[in-house]
Amino acid sequence: VAHNMWLLRASQSALLRGRSPSVSLATTSFTRSFSSPSSWHGTTILSVRREGKVVIIGDGQVSMGSTVIKGNARKVRRLGSECIAGFAGSTADAITLFERLEERLEEHKGQLLRSCVELAKAWRTDKYLHKLDAVMIVADKDVTFTLTGNGDVLDSADGVVAVGSGGQYALSAARALMTVPGIDAEAIGRRAMAIAADICVYTNSNFTMEAISVDPATGKPVLNTLLPPPSSPSSAPDISTVTIPASSSSSDTSSIIPPSGPSLSHDAAPKLASALS
């Protein structure tokens, strides 16, 4: 907006001086920045890579304005036999991009970097693909990339990347948990997403997680769909087994209702009544 206002003032100043404006507002175009928080969509996708294992986890909430339309949507899926991906944005647009990326992976024999670059070029320049509104995270056993409609192919420097409306919360929590020894990628992803779900109103706790690990015997990637851990039994007592003991006497309420103040003796009560009268 500030840039457009500057162009408008420059054009008005040139016209007042009798000159033709050097810039034209009609020729300026505004490109949506899919990587800016203002255009991120109501979801959270997080990827964590640690100790030879990479996971991508996403929530299941689909929102329209302030209304929750669906709570168990699947935003994380596999791409071929060696890659996993998650998306934030329009579902139809993301599926279209997934199909194009799968075609590139087949064409380039599973080379993820080259396939992502080719898809980003087409996404940026093609008139049809340029209108697709989504952000993607894709990963294989070696690298993790973030793809946007601006032609960005961003690699993660520390093994953690997140997109979506709750992405900043999940990213901050995951980076903090990366400094804790003894926690694997799956545990970091679940804990960070739980924190993001508590903060972001557009993110729920119905998570879907895909993981890639390397088989030590063959060295080939192994894809797994990780299910949520079983919930622990509640520690609250079962009210059906709780019994209330009966009172020893129906008229004796001294053991039930505690005194609200200091008690008066039998001799002090008449003296207090005469003093008040």
Side-chain angles (χ1 to χ4, degrees):
V1 175
H3 180 66
N4 289 340
M5 291 298 297
W6 178 84
L7 293 176
L8 179 60
R9 291 174 182 173
S11 301
Q12 291 176 347
S13 300
L15 291 175
L16 291 176
R17 291 194 300 266
R19 301 176 183 176
S20 60
S22 58
V23 290
S24 175
L25 292 177
T27 59
T28 60
S29 61
F30 175 73
T31 303
R32 291 178 297 175
S33 177
F34 293 90
S35 59
S36 63
S38 60
S39 62
W40 283 353
H41 301 270
T43 191
T44 302
I45 305 295
L46 171 68
S47 176
V48 180
R49 182 182 298 273
R50 192 175 197 182
E51 297 177 353
K53 185 177 183 180
V54 58
V55 299
I56 296 181
I57 181 172
D59 74 306
Q61 181 168 319
V62 178
S63 305
M64 181 178 293
S66 59
T67 304
V68 177
I69 304 300
K70 189 177 181 180
N72 60 344
R74 186 179 181 85
K75 305 170 186 176
V76 180
R77 56 170 292 184
R78 301 179 182 182
L79 293 179
S81 60
E82 297 183 357
C83 300
I84 56 178
F87 72 91
S90 174
T91 303
D93 293 352
I95 291 176
T96 302
L97 293 169
F98 282 159
E99 293 175 352
R100 295 297 184 98
L101 183 56
E102 284 180 330
E103 294 175 359
R104 297 295 191 278
L105 287 171
E106 293 178 0
E107 179 182 352
H108 300 298
K109 299 180 181 180
Q111 300 181 28
L112 183 60
L113 176 58
R114 186 174 180 182
S115 302
C116 289
V117 171
E118 293 295 328
L119 176 63
K121 289 167 57 179
W123 193 358
R124 172 69 173 173
T125 58
D126 188 88
K127 293 182 179 180
Y128 169 70
L129 294 179
H130 187 64
K131 298 179 181 180
L132 299 183
D133 189 10
V135 184
M136 300 170 54
I137 295 178
V138 294
D140 62 4
K141 64 183 182 65
D142 297 318
V143 290
T144 304
F145 295 112
T146 303
L147 306 180
T148 71
N150 290 331
D152 299 323
V153 181
L154 306 176
D155 188 8
S156 173
D158 56 357
V160 181
V161 62
V163 297
S165 58
Q168 297 297 325
Y169 313 123
L171 180 65
S172 301
R175 284 182 174 175
L177 292 171
M178 288 285 284
T179 62
V180 180
I183 306 179
D184 60 357
E186 178 183 356
I188 292 175
R190 292 193 186 279
R191 294 184 185 183
M193 284 293 293
I195 294 173
D198 290 339
I199 300 174
C200 180
V201 297
Y202 297 107
T203 304
N204 65 6
S205 299
N206 191 1
F207 303 140
T208 303
M209 179 181 290
E210 293 283 348
I212 301 178
S213 57
V214 179
D215 188 354
T218 62
K220 295 183 178 180
V222 179
L223 277 63
N224 297 311
T225 301
L226 302 180
L227 300 177
S231 58
S232 58
S234 176
S235 59
D238 186 3
I239 61 174
S240 62
T241 61
V242 176
T243 59
I244 301 176
S247 176
S248 59
S249 175
S250 60
S251 60
D252 185 12
T253 60
S254 60
S255 61
I256 301 177
I257 304 175
S260 58
S263 59
L264 297 176
S265 62
H266 294 286
D267 297 336
K271 293 179 181 181
L272 180 60
S274 61
L276 291 176
S277 61

